[in-house]
Amino acid sequence: MSYCFTELWLCDDPSIPQNSSVYYHVDSIDLLYSDYNKKGIVYKNAHLMDKPWGMSEFYVVDLDGNLLKFGQRIDT
């Protein structure tokens, strides 16, 4: 399964990933969420939800503390 391609750059300063995030616009948010949720990597308080700003989103925090946000525009 392929959702998107991204390259992250690592750094030695732990304060940088703890204070930053990346937003991924995806086309198959339901499939991606299902896959990540089964793997147990969806952030505990950030499961898939429709947001007031017109996006369906969920979040993941990686092992280095990077906040990874995934979203898809809600069809109106």
Side-chain angles (χ1 to χ4, degrees), residues 20-36:
S20 63
S21 66
V22 177
Y23 196 98
Y24 298 95
H25 291 265
V26 298
D27 293 327
S28 301
I29 192 100
D30 294 318
L31 290 174
L32 182 62
Y33 173 78
S34 177
D35 185 37
Y36 283 13

Side-chain angles (χ1 to χ4, degrees), residues 4 6 8 16 22 24 32 34 37 39 41 45 51-53 59-60 65 75:
C4 63
T6 304
L8 296 177
I16 293 173
V22 177
Y24 298 95
L32 182 62
S34 177
N37 196 39
K39 293 177 180 175
I41 61 172
N45 295 323
K51 302 293 186 174
W53 47 88
Y59 305 156
V60 170
D75 293 329

Side-chain angles (χ1 to χ4, degrees), residues 57-74:
E57 300 179 346
F58 72 94
Y59 305 156
V60 170
V61 176
D62 73 11
L63 297 176
D64 292 317
N66 296 294
L67 179 60
L68 310 176
K69 301 177 180 181
F70 297 88
Q72 180 176 352
R73 186 173 312 279
I74 298 169

